Amino acid sequence: MEETFREIKDMLSAGFPLLYLVTSEYSRVTQKLRKIAFEGDYAFHTWDCVDFLRTHNKNQNNRLEGIVSHPEYESTQDCETLLEYLHKGLGKSEDDSKEIFLIEDFHKYFDREKVIVSLRKLSNEMKKLNKHIIFLSPSYQLPDEIEKYVTVISVPLPDRRDLDRRFKSIYPGSIDEDLKKYILDAALGLTDTEAELAFRLANQVVGLNNKDAVQIVANEKEQIIKKSGILDYVQVNLDMKNNVGGLDNLKMWLKQRSKSFERKARDFGLQEPKGIMLLGVPGCGKSLTAKCVATEWKQPLLRLDIGKVFQAEVGSSENNIRRAIATAEAVAPCVLWIDEIEKGLNVGGERDGGTNSRVFSTILTWMQEKTKPVFVVATANDISQLPPEFLRKGRFDEIFFVDLPTKEERKEILRI
Protein backbone atom coordinates (compact mmCIF):
# COMPACT_ATOMS: atom_id res chain seq x y z
CA MET A 1 0.00 0.00 0.00
CA GLU A 2 2.69 2.51 1.01
CA GLU A 3 4.72 1.67 -2.12
CA THR A 4 1.70 2.49 -4.31
CA PHE A 5 1.30 5.96 -2.82
CA ARG A 6 5.04 6.60 -2.99
CA GLU A 7 4.76 5.79 -6.70
CA ILE A 8 1.83 8.23 -7.04
CA LYS A 9 3.83 10.91 -5.20
CA ASP A 10 6.75 10.46 -7.61
CA MET A 11 4.41 10.65 -10.62
CA LEU A 12 2.94 13.92 -9.35
CA SER A 13 6.42 15.34 -8.86
CA ALA A 14 7.33 14.23 -12.38
CA GLY A 15 4.33 16.10 -13.81
CA PHE A 16 1.97 13.26 -14.79
CA PRO A 17 -1.24 15.16 -15.68
CA LEU A 18 -3.92 12.41 -15.59
CA LEU A 19 -3.94 9.48 -13.15
CA TYR A 20 -6.64 6.80 -12.95
CA LEU A 21 -6.81 4.94 -9.62
CA VAL A 22 -8.79 1.69 -9.61
CA THR A 23 -10.21 1.30 -6.10
CA SER A 24 -13.46 0.99 -4.22
CA GLU A 25 -12.06 2.65 -1.08
CA TYR A 26 -12.74 6.28 -1.87
CA SER A 27 -12.49 7.58 1.70
CA ARG A 28 -9.16 5.93 2.53
CA VAL A 29 -7.56 6.85 -0.81
CA THR A 30 -8.80 10.45 -0.52
CA GLN A 31 -7.15 10.75 2.91
CA LYS A 32 -3.86 9.37 1.59
CA LEU A 33 -3.86 11.68 -1.45
CA ARG A 34 -4.80 14.68 0.67
CA LYS A 35 -1.84 13.97 2.93
CA ILE A 36 0.47 13.82 -0.11
CA ALA A 37 -1.01 17.10 -1.38
CA PHE A 38 -0.66 18.96 1.93
CA GLU A 39 2.91 17.77 2.49
CA GLY A 40 3.86 18.65 -1.10
CA ASP A 41 2.24 22.13 -1.01
CA TYR A 42 -0.45 21.24 -3.56
CA ALA A 43 -3.87 22.86 -3.44
CA PHE A 44 -6.26 19.93 -3.04
CA HIS A 45 -9.74 19.87 -4.62
CA THR A 46 -12.36 17.12 -4.88
CA TRP A 47 -15.39 16.70 -7.15
CA ASP A 48 -18.38 14.36 -7.12
CA CYS A 49 -21.89 14.56 -8.56
CA VAL A 50 -23.43 15.49 -5.18
CA ASP A 51 -21.17 18.16 -3.65
CA PHE A 52 -19.52 19.27 -6.92
CA LEU A 53 -16.12 20.98 -6.72
CA ARG A 54 -14.77 21.70 -3.22
CA THR A 55 -11.42 22.81 -1.82
CA HIS A 56 -9.73 21.16 1.18
CA ASN A 57 -7.88 23.72 3.32
CA LYS A 58 -4.99 22.83 5.61
CA ASN A 59 -3.65 24.31 8.83
CA GLN A 60 -0.04 25.01 9.81
CA ASN A 61 0.48 21.37 10.79
CA ASN A 62 -0.57 20.09 7.35
CA ARG A 63 -3.85 18.79 8.79
CA LEU A 64 -7.32 19.26 7.34
CA GLU A 65 -8.81 22.53 8.57
CA GLY A 66 -12.03 22.54 6.54
CA ILE A 67 -13.70 21.79 3.20
CA VAL A 68 -15.21 24.78 1.42
CA SER A 69 -17.15 25.45 -1.75
CA HIS A 70 -16.61 28.83 -3.42
CA PRO A 71 -19.38 30.64 -5.37
CA GLU A 72 -17.58 30.13 -8.69
CA TYR A 73 -17.73 26.35 -8.12
CA GLU A 74 -21.53 26.35 -8.60
CA SER A 75 -21.04 26.05 -12.36
CA THR A 76 -19.32 22.65 -11.97
CA GLN A 77 -22.50 20.61 -11.45
CA ASP A 78 -21.92 18.58 -14.63
CA CYS A 79 -18.77 16.80 -15.78
CA GLU A 80 -18.56 18.90 -18.95
CA THR A 81 -18.95 22.19 -17.05
CA LEU A 82 -16.27 20.98 -14.61
CA LEU A 83 -13.81 20.43 -17.44
CA GLU A 84 -14.74 23.81 -18.95
CA TYR A 85 -14.06 25.46 -15.59
CA LEU A 86 -10.66 23.76 -15.33
CA HIS A 87 -9.82 24.66 -18.93
CA LYS A 88 -10.68 28.34 -18.40
CA GLY A 89 -8.75 28.40 -15.12
CA LEU A 90 -5.63 27.08 -16.83
CA GLY A 91 -5.96 29.73 -19.52
CA LYS A 92 -5.95 32.47 -16.88
CA SER A 93 -3.30 30.87 -14.70
CA GLU A 94 -0.27 33.09 -14.32
CA ASP A 95 1.12 31.67 -11.07
CA ASP A 96 3.05 28.46 -10.54
CA SER A 97 0.78 27.08 -7.80
CA LYS A 98 0.50 23.30 -7.73
CA GLU A 99 -2.97 21.76 -7.74
CA ILE A 100 -4.60 18.32 -7.55
CA PHE A 101 -8.20 17.72 -8.64
CA LEU A 102 -9.58 14.41 -7.34
CA ILE A 103 -12.66 13.31 -9.30
CA GLU A 104 -14.91 10.40 -8.28
CA ASP A 105 -16.75 8.01 -10.64
CA PHE A 106 -15.81 9.91 -13.78
CA HIS A 107 -15.81 6.68 -15.82
CA LYS A 108 -19.58 7.11 -16.25
CA TYR A 109 -18.98 10.13 -18.50
CA PHE A 110 -16.35 8.70 -20.84
CA ASP A 111 -18.98 8.02 -23.50
CA ARG A 112 -19.28 11.77 -24.21
CA GLU A 113 -17.13 13.01 -27.07
CA LYS A 114 -16.72 16.47 -25.58
CA VAL A 115 -15.36 14.98 -22.35
CA ILE A 116 -12.70 12.99 -24.22
CA VAL A 117 -11.52 15.96 -26.28
CA SER A 118 -11.46 18.23 -23.19
CA LEU A 119 -9.32 15.71 -21.28
CA ARG A 120 -6.82 15.47 -24.15
CA LYS A 121 -6.44 19.25 -24.19
CA LEU A 122 -6.20 19.45 -20.41
CA SER A 123 -3.52 16.76 -20.41
CA ASN A 124 -1.28 18.80 -22.69
CA GLU A 125 -1.78 22.00 -20.68
CA MET A 126 -1.61 20.59 -17.16
CA LYS A 127 1.77 18.93 -17.46
CA LYS A 128 3.32 22.34 -18.14
CA LEU A 129 1.65 23.97 -15.10
CA ASN A 130 2.15 21.24 -12.45
CA LYS A 131 -1.57 20.59 -12.12
CA HIS A 132 -3.09 17.12 -12.00
CA ILE A 133 -6.41 15.30 -12.34
CA ILE A 134 -6.82 12.03 -10.46
CA PHE A 135 -9.81 9.82 -11.25
CA LEU A 136 -11.19 7.37 -8.67
CA SER A 137 -13.17 4.41 -10.02
CA PRO A 138 -14.01 0.90 -8.78
CA SER A 139 -13.31 -0.58 -12.23
CA TYR A 140 -11.10 0.07 -15.24
CA GLN A 141 -13.15 1.72 -17.99
CA LEU A 142 -11.09 3.91 -20.29
CA PRO A 143 -11.89 4.70 -23.95
CA ASP A 144 -9.22 4.13 -26.59
CA GLU A 145 -9.15 7.85 -27.48
CA ILE A 146 -7.48 8.89 -24.20
CA GLU A 147 -5.85 5.63 -23.15
CA LYS A 148 -2.34 6.91 -23.98
CA TYR A 149 -2.86 10.12 -21.99
CA VAL A 150 -3.85 8.47 -18.70
CA THR A 151 -1.70 6.49 -16.24
CA VAL A 152 -3.65 3.65 -14.59
CA ILE A 153 -2.79 2.43 -11.07
CA SER A 154 -4.56 -0.34 -9.17
CA VAL A 155 -4.69 0.54 -5.48
CA PRO A 156 -4.24 -2.63 -3.38
CA LEU A 157 -6.40 -3.54 -0.42
CA PRO A 158 -5.05 -2.79 3.07
CA ASP A 159 -1.99 -4.82 4.01
CA ARG A 160 -1.07 -6.08 7.48
CA ARG A 161 0.43 -2.72 8.47
CA ASP A 162 -2.77 -0.85 7.55
CA LEU A 163 -4.94 -3.43 9.27
CA ASP A 164 -2.71 -3.30 12.36
CA ARG A 165 -3.28 0.46 12.65
CA ARG A 166 -7.03 -0.07 12.32
CA PHE A 167 -6.89 -2.89 14.90
CA LYS A 168 -5.05 -0.69 17.43
CA SER A 169 -7.59 2.11 17.00
CA ILE A 170 -10.32 -0.31 18.13
CA TYR A 171 -8.36 -2.39 20.65
CA PRO A 172 -5.43 -0.42 22.12
CA GLY A 173 -4.84 -2.97 24.90
CA SER A 174 -2.17 -5.68 25.03
CA ILE A 175 -2.75 -8.90 23.09
CA ASP A 176 -0.83 -12.09 22.32
CA GLU A 177 1.14 -11.42 19.11
CA ASP A 178 0.34 -14.81 17.56
CA LEU A 179 -3.39 -14.31 18.17
CA LYS A 180 -3.15 -10.83 16.71
CA LYS A 181 -1.43 -12.23 13.60
CA TYR A 182 -4.24 -14.74 13.08
CA ILE A 183 -6.85 -11.97 13.41
CA LEU A 184 -5.01 -9.74 10.92
CA ASP A 185 -4.61 -12.70 8.55
CA ALA A 186 -8.35 -13.29 8.81
CA ALA A 187 -8.97 -9.64 7.86
CA LEU A 188 -6.72 -9.67 4.77
CA GLY A 189 -8.83 -9.18 1.66
CA LEU A 190 -11.28 -6.84 3.40
CA THR A 191 -11.45 -3.12 2.70
CA ASP A 192 -10.55 -0.73 5.49
CA THR A 193 -14.23 -0.15 6.31
CA GLU A 194 -15.06 -3.87 6.17
CA ALA A 195 -12.11 -4.69 8.44
CA GLU A 196 -13.10 -2.00 10.95
CA LEU A 197 -16.66 -3.34 11.15
CA ALA A 198 -15.39 -6.93 11.47
CA PHE A 199 -13.04 -5.93 14.32
CA ARG A 200 -15.86 -4.05 16.06
CA LEU A 201 -18.19 -7.03 15.71
CA ALA A 202 -15.61 -9.47 17.09
CA ASN A 203 -14.82 -7.07 19.94
CA GLN A 204 -18.51 -6.78 20.77
CA VAL A 205 -19.28 -10.52 20.64
CA VAL A 206 -16.23 -12.17 22.28
CA GLY A 207 -13.53 -9.50 22.61
CA LEU A 208 -10.54 -9.15 20.32
CA ASN A 209 -8.29 -10.83 22.90
CA ASN A 210 -10.19 -14.10 22.38
CA LYS A 211 -9.22 -16.86 19.92
CA ASP A 212 -12.86 -17.03 18.72
CA ALA A 213 -12.43 -13.52 17.29
CA VAL A 214 -10.43 -15.06 14.43
CA GLN A 215 -13.44 -17.00 13.15
CA ILE A 216 -15.80 -14.03 13.50
CA VAL A 217 -13.50 -11.82 11.44
CA ALA A 218 -12.96 -14.59 8.86
CA ASN A 219 -16.71 -15.08 8.49
CA GLU A 220 -17.01 -11.49 7.25
CA LYS A 221 -15.16 -12.58 4.12
CA GLU A 222 -18.21 -14.59 3.14
CA GLN A 223 -19.64 -11.47 1.48
CA ILE A 224 -16.62 -11.22 -0.83
CA ILE A 225 -16.97 -14.87 -1.82
CA LYS A 226 -20.70 -14.59 -2.53
CA LYS A 227 -20.11 -11.65 -4.87
CA SER A 228 -17.58 -13.62 -6.93
CA GLY A 229 -20.22 -16.12 -8.13
CA ILE A 230 -17.60 -18.82 -8.87
CA LEU A 231 -16.44 -19.75 -5.39
CA ASP A 232 -18.57 -21.06 -2.52
CA TYR A 233 -17.89 -20.17 1.10
CA VAL A 234 -18.22 -23.36 3.16
CA GLN A 235 -19.13 -23.04 6.83
CA VAL A 236 -17.31 -25.80 8.74
CA ASN A 237 -17.58 -26.85 12.39
CA LEU A 238 -15.60 -30.08 12.01
CA ASP A 239 -12.08 -30.87 13.16
CA MET A 240 -9.58 -33.65 12.48
CA LYS A 241 -9.48 -34.99 16.03
CA ASN A 242 -13.21 -35.44 16.65
CA ASN A 243 -14.53 -36.09 13.15
CA VAL A 244 -11.91 -38.02 11.17
CA GLY A 245 -10.86 -41.56 12.08
CA GLY A 246 -7.47 -42.88 11.00
CA LEU A 247 -5.28 -40.98 8.49
CA ASP A 248 -2.61 -40.53 11.17
CA ASN A 249 0.14 -39.58 8.68
CA LEU A 250 -2.02 -36.81 7.22
CA LYS A 251 -3.03 -35.55 10.66
CA MET A 252 0.62 -35.36 11.75
CA TRP A 253 1.60 -33.59 8.52
CA LEU A 254 -1.11 -30.95 8.95
CA LYS A 255 -0.28 -30.43 12.62
CA GLN A 256 3.40 -29.84 11.87
CA ARG A 257 2.70 -27.42 8.99
CA SER A 258 0.20 -25.38 11.00
CA LYS A 259 3.14 -23.70 12.71
CA SER A 260 4.24 -22.20 9.39
CA PHE A 261 1.37 -19.67 9.67
CA GLU A 262 2.62 -18.32 13.01
CA ARG A 263 4.34 -14.97 13.39
CA LYS A 264 7.70 -16.54 14.34
CA ALA A 265 7.71 -18.65 11.18
CA ARG A 266 6.98 -15.59 9.00
CA ASP A 267 9.74 -13.58 10.70
CA PHE A 268 12.13 -16.50 10.17
CA GLY A 269 11.26 -16.56 6.45
CA LEU A 270 9.47 -19.92 6.37
CA GLN A 271 7.14 -20.32 3.40
CA GLU A 272 3.52 -21.40 3.92
CA PRO A 273 2.66 -24.83 2.42
CA LYS A 274 1.17 -24.81 -1.10
CA GLY A 275 -1.30 -27.65 -0.98
CA ILE A 276 -2.03 -31.37 -0.88
CA MET A 277 -3.69 -33.91 -3.18
CA LEU A 278 -6.02 -36.49 -1.61
CA LEU A 279 -6.72 -39.44 -3.88
CA GLY A 280 -8.18 -42.85 -3.39
CA VAL A 281 -11.35 -44.85 -2.92
CA PRO A 282 -14.66 -42.94 -3.09
CA GLY A 283 -16.42 -42.47 0.25
CA CYS A 284 -13.33 -42.83 2.44
CA GLY A 285 -13.22 -39.29 3.83
CA LYS A 286 -11.36 -37.15 1.29
CA SER A 287 -13.96 -34.37 1.20
CA LEU A 288 -14.46 -34.53 4.98
CA THR A 289 -10.71 -34.18 5.49
CA ALA A 290 -10.58 -31.19 3.14
CA LYS A 291 -13.22 -29.44 5.25
CA CYS A 292 -11.36 -30.21 8.48
CA VAL A 293 -8.09 -28.68 7.23
CA ALA A 294 -9.66 -25.21 7.30
CA THR A 295 -10.80 -25.66 10.91
CA GLU A 296 -7.43 -27.10 11.92
CA TRP A 297 -5.66 -23.97 10.62
CA LYS A 298 -8.41 -21.46 11.57
CA GLN A 299 -8.85 -20.34 7.97
CA PRO A 300 -11.90 -19.81 5.73
CA LEU A 301 -12.76 -22.66 3.38
CA LEU A 302 -13.54 -21.84 -0.25
CA ARG A 303 -14.86 -24.43 -2.69
CA LEU A 304 -14.12 -24.07 -6.38
CA ASP A 305 -16.95 -25.50 -8.45
CA ILE A 306 -15.36 -26.28 -11.82
CA GLY A 307 -18.83 -26.56 -13.35
CA LYS A 308 -19.44 -22.84 -12.71
CA VAL A 309 -16.19 -21.93 -14.46
CA PHE A 310 -17.11 -23.21 -17.90
CA GLN A 311 -19.51 -21.09 -19.96
CA ALA A 312 -20.50 -21.08 -23.62
CA GLU A 313 -19.35 -17.53 -24.39
CA VAL A 314 -15.84 -17.38 -25.86
CA GLY A 315 -13.27 -16.26 -23.28
CA SER A 316 -15.72 -16.38 -20.34
CA SER A 317 -14.32 -19.61 -18.88
CA GLU A 318 -10.77 -18.25 -18.81
CA ASN A 319 -11.97 -14.98 -17.23
CA ASN A 320 -13.97 -16.92 -14.64
CA ILE A 321 -11.00 -18.97 -13.46
CA ARG A 322 -8.82 -15.85 -13.28
CA ARG A 323 -11.51 -14.08 -11.25
CA ALA A 324 -11.84 -17.07 -8.93
CA ILE A 325 -8.07 -17.13 -8.35
CA ALA A 326 -8.02 -13.36 -7.72
CA THR A 327 -10.85 -13.71 -5.19
CA ALA A 328 -9.08 -16.55 -3.38
CA GLU A 329 -5.88 -14.48 -3.19
CA ALA A 330 -7.82 -11.46 -1.94
CA VAL A 331 -9.12 -13.38 1.09
CA ALA A 332 -5.86 -15.30 1.71
CA PRO A 333 -4.78 -16.95 3.91
CA CYS A 334 -7.46 -19.48 3.11
CA VAL A 335 -8.02 -23.10 2.06
CA LEU A 336 -9.19 -23.62 -1.53
CA TRP A 337 -10.96 -26.97 -1.96
CA ILE A 338 -11.25 -28.42 -5.49
CA ASP A 339 -13.39 -31.56 -5.27
CA GLU A 340 -13.06 -34.40 -7.82
CA ILE A 341 -10.65 -32.36 -9.86
CA GLU A 342 -10.08 -35.06 -12.49
CA LYS A 343 -13.70 -34.77 -13.68
CA GLY A 344 -13.61 -30.99 -14.05
CA LEU A 345 -10.18 -30.82 -15.66
CA ASN A 346 -10.20 -33.81 -17.97
CA VAL A 347 -7.91 -32.46 -20.69
CA GLY A 348 -8.84 -34.74 -23.54
CA GLY A 349 -9.50 -33.73 -27.14
CA GLU A 350 -10.15 -30.31 -28.62
CA ARG A 351 -13.90 -30.55 -29.06
CA ASP A 352 -14.32 -27.59 -26.73
CA GLY A 353 -12.01 -25.39 -28.81
CA GLY A 354 -9.18 -25.79 -26.29
CA THR A 355 -11.06 -24.04 -23.46
CA ASN A 356 -10.48 -26.92 -21.04
CA SER A 357 -6.76 -26.90 -21.79
CA ARG A 358 -6.48 -23.14 -21.26
CA VAL A 359 -8.34 -23.26 -17.95
CA PHE A 360 -6.14 -26.17 -16.85
CA SER A 361 -3.00 -24.27 -17.89
CA THR A 362 -4.10 -21.21 -15.90
CA ILE A 363 -4.56 -23.31 -12.76
CA LEU A 364 -1.22 -25.09 -13.28
CA THR A 365 0.72 -21.85 -13.69
CA TRP A 366 -0.95 -20.25 -10.70
CA MET A 367 -0.28 -23.25 -8.43
CA GLN A 368 3.39 -23.16 -9.40
CA GLU A 369 3.94 -19.40 -9.15
CA LYS A 370 1.49 -18.24 -6.46
CA THR A 371 2.92 -16.15 -3.64
CA LYS A 372 -0.25 -15.62 -1.57
CA PRO A 373 -1.00 -18.18 1.19
CA VAL A 374 -3.81 -20.05 -0.59
CA PHE A 375 -3.59 -23.69 0.49
CA VAL A 376 -5.06 -25.92 -2.22
CA VAL A 377 -6.73 -29.19 -1.21
CA ALA A 378 -7.60 -31.19 -4.33
CA THR A 379 -9.42 -34.51 -4.19
CA ALA A 380 -9.51 -37.17 -6.92
CA ASN A 381 -10.85 -40.69 -7.30
CA ASP A 382 -9.03 -41.66 -10.52
CA ILE A 383 -5.45 -40.42 -10.76
CA SER A 384 -5.04 -41.90 -14.25
CA GLN A 385 -7.24 -39.13 -15.68
CA LEU A 386 -4.85 -36.42 -14.47
CA PRO A 387 -1.82 -35.45 -16.59
CA PRO A 388 1.61 -36.04 -15.01
CA GLU A 389 2.53 -32.33 -14.95
CA PHE A 390 -0.30 -31.74 -12.47
CA LEU A 391 1.18 -34.19 -9.96
CA ARG A 392 4.83 -33.27 -10.03
CA LYS A 393 6.58 -31.68 -7.06
CA GLY A 394 6.01 -27.96 -6.82
CA ARG A 395 2.27 -28.01 -7.50
CA PHE A 396 1.52 -29.86 -4.25
CA ASP A 397 3.63 -30.37 -1.15
CA GLU A 398 2.41 -33.94 -0.72
CA ILE A 399 0.04 -36.51 -2.26
CA PHE A 400 -1.86 -38.72 0.21
CA PHE A 401 -3.62 -41.96 -0.70
CA VAL A 402 -6.88 -42.43 1.23
CA ASP A 403 -7.60 -46.17 1.31
CA LEU A 404 -10.30 -48.30 2.89
CA PRO A 405 -9.95 -48.13 6.71
CA THR A 406 -8.01 -50.80 8.57
CA LYS A 407 -9.43 -52.71 11.55
CA GLU A 408 -8.04 -50.19 14.07
CA GLU A 409 -9.28 -47.28 11.99
CA ARG A 410 -12.76 -48.78 11.78
CA LYS A 411 -12.81 -48.95 15.60
CA GLU A 412 -11.92 -45.26 15.78
CA ILE A 413 -14.56 -44.38 13.18
CA LEU A 414 -17.23 -46.29 15.16
CA ARG A 415 -16.10 -44.53 18.36
CA ILE A 416 -16.58 -41.15 16.64
Side-chain angles (χ1 to χ4, degrees):
M1 170 58 68
E2 296 301 329
E3 292 178 4
T4 301
F5 285 98
R6 274 199 298 270
E7 183 182 356
I8 293 171
K9 185 177 179 180
D10 292 338
M11 287 179 176
L12 293 172
S13 300
F16 281 53
L18 304 178
L19 300 181
Y20 188 118
L21 306 190
V22 182
T23 179
S24 57
E25 297 187 89
Y26 288 12
S27 178
R28 183 170 68 104
V29 172
T30 299
Q31 291 176 13
K32 295 271 190 182
L33 293 174
R34 185 169 57 206
K35 182 181 178 183
I36 291 173
F38 286 174
E39 292 177 351
D41 289 327
Y42 292 89
F44 188 71
H45 316 278
T46 56
W47 182 91
D48 59 57
C49 62
V50 175
D51 295 318
F52 316 128
L53 191 62
R54 297 192 297 170
T55 298
H56 296 229
N57 294 325
K58 66 175 182 177
N59 59 23
Q60 294 179 344
N61 297 321
N62 286 335
R63 299 291 179 87
L64 179 64
E65 189 175 66
I67 303 176
V68 297
S69 178
H70 299 295
E72 62 266 26
Y73 293 171
E74 293 180 4
S75 64
T76 64
Q77 297 182 7
D78 183 73
C79 66
E80 292 183 11
T81 57
L82 169 68
L83 297 180
E84 285 177 13
Y85 174 82
L86 296 180
H87 195 73
K88 290 176 182 176
L90 293 180
K92 298 175 184 175
S93 181
E94 296 177 356
D95 58 13
D96 56 353
S97 61
K98 302 187 293 184
E99 291 184 283
I100 293 175
F101 297 90
L102 183 65
I103 303 177
E104 296 182 6
D105 296 323
F106 205 75
H107 62 277
K108 298 175 181 177
Y109 311 110
F110 283 141
D111 57 347
R112 303 188 190 182
E113 185 177 356
K114 193 173 181 180
V115 166
I116 293 174
V117 175
S118 296
L119 285 174
R120 280 206 304 259
K121 291 186 175 182
L122 281 170
S123 173
N124 292 325
E125 295 172 5
M126 282 184 148
K127 61 186 177 184
K128 304 172 187 174
L129 300 170
N130 211 347
K131 301 182 190 297
H132 316 268
I133 293 177
I134 301 178
F135 302 109
L136 290 188
S137 173
S139 60
Y140 174 74
Q141 297 180 33
L142 206 57
D144 296 339
E145 293 88 342
I146 58 169
E147 201 173 56
K148 300 299 183 182
Y149 295 84
V150 182
T151 303
V152 180
I153 300 172
S154 294
V155 180
L157 290 166
D159 56 18
R160 278 191 178 86
R161 190 182 305 171
D162 297 314
L163 293 172
D164 190 27
R165 283 196 288 264
R166 180 59 64 193
F167 182 91
K168 288 177 180 175
S169 70
I170 295 168
Y171 189 83
S174 60
I175 183 173
D176 179 74
E177 286 299 322
D178 282 325
L179 174 59
K180 183 179 176 182
K181 179 193 175 296
Y182 280 121
I183 294 175
L184 295 183
D185 283 348
L188 285 171
L190 299 175
T191 64
D192 186 63
T193 302
E194 290 170 337
E196 180 184 2
L197 294 175
F199 291 154
R200 289 184 183 278
L201 178 63
N203 198 32
Q204 179 67 31
V205 176
V206 296
L208 284 172
N209 202 8
N210 188 310
K211 63 180 181 180
D212 293 332
V214 178
Q215 194 59 46
I216 293 174
V217 173
N219 287 345
E220 291 302 299
K221 290 184 178 180
E222 185 175 355
Q223 291 298 320
I224 300 175
I225 308 306
K226 285 180 178 177
K227 293 169 188 174
S228 75
I230 309 297
L231 297 173
D232 298 318
Y233 186 93
V234 183
Q235 292 278 9
V236 182
N237 295 312
L238 307 170
D239 60 71
M240 297 291 288
K241 182 178 180 181
N242 298 313
N243 297 96
V244 179
L247 305 181
D248 293 334
N249 285 339
L250 175 57
K251 287 179 179 177
M252 179 62 69
W253 190 92
L254 292 170
K255 185 177 181 180
Q256 290 174 339
R257 267 79 185 167
S258 66
K259 295 183 180 296
S260 64
F261 294 96
E262 293 181 359
R263 178 180 54 86
K264 290 182 288 186
R266 188 190 68 199
D267 295 341
F268 183 74
L270 187 66
Q271 292 291 321
E272 296 93 349
K274 287 189 172 185
I276 55 174
M277 165 74 82
L278 303 176
L279 57 94
V281 183
C284 287
K286 297 188 295 297
S287 298
L288 175 64
T289 303
K291 294 176 183 177
C292 292
V293 171
T295 308
E296 193 80 8
W297 288 352
K298 301 182 181 67
Q299 294 179 5
L301 176 64
L302 316 182
R303 181 176 179 271
L304 175 61
D305 187 345
I306 298 292
K308 291 181 180 179
V309 171
F310 292 101
Q311 293 182 4
E313 188 178 345
V314 176
S316 295
S317 303
E318 294 88 331
N319 288 334
N320 284 342
I321 192 63
R322 283 192 287 267
R323 195 164 78 247
I325 288 171
T327 303
E329 290 190 334
V331 301
C334 63
V335 176
L336 180 63
W337 170 31
I338 309 176
D339 201 19
E340 297 188 348
I341 194 169
E342 80 279 13
K343 294 178 181 176
L345 296 176
N346 187 4
V347 191
E350 292 295 323
R351 287 175 295 179
D352 60 354
T355 300
N356 213 327
S357 298
R358 289 193 294 273
V359 169
F360 182 75
S361 175
T362 301
I363 293 177
L364 277 184
T365 304
W366 171 71
M367 289 179 64
Q368 183 69 34
E369 304 296 334
K370 67 184 170 75
T371 55
K372 297 291 181 69
V374 179
F375 185 78
V376 179
V377 179
T379 65
N381 296 323
D382 187 359
I383 194 174
S384 65
Q385 293 186 33
L386 289 171
E389 62 266 29
F390 190 74
L391 300 172
R392 74 169 180 79
K393 272 290 190 186
R395 316 283 189 204
F396 296 103
D397 295 298
E398 285 295 345
I399 299 175
F400 290 92
F401 180 67
V402 182
D403 201 357
L404 293 167
T406 63
K407 183 178 180 180
E408 291 301 317
E409 289 172 339
R410 288 197 297 274
K411 287 181 180 178
E412 188 176 352
I413 291 168
L414 288 170
R415 179 188 60 79
I416 291 172

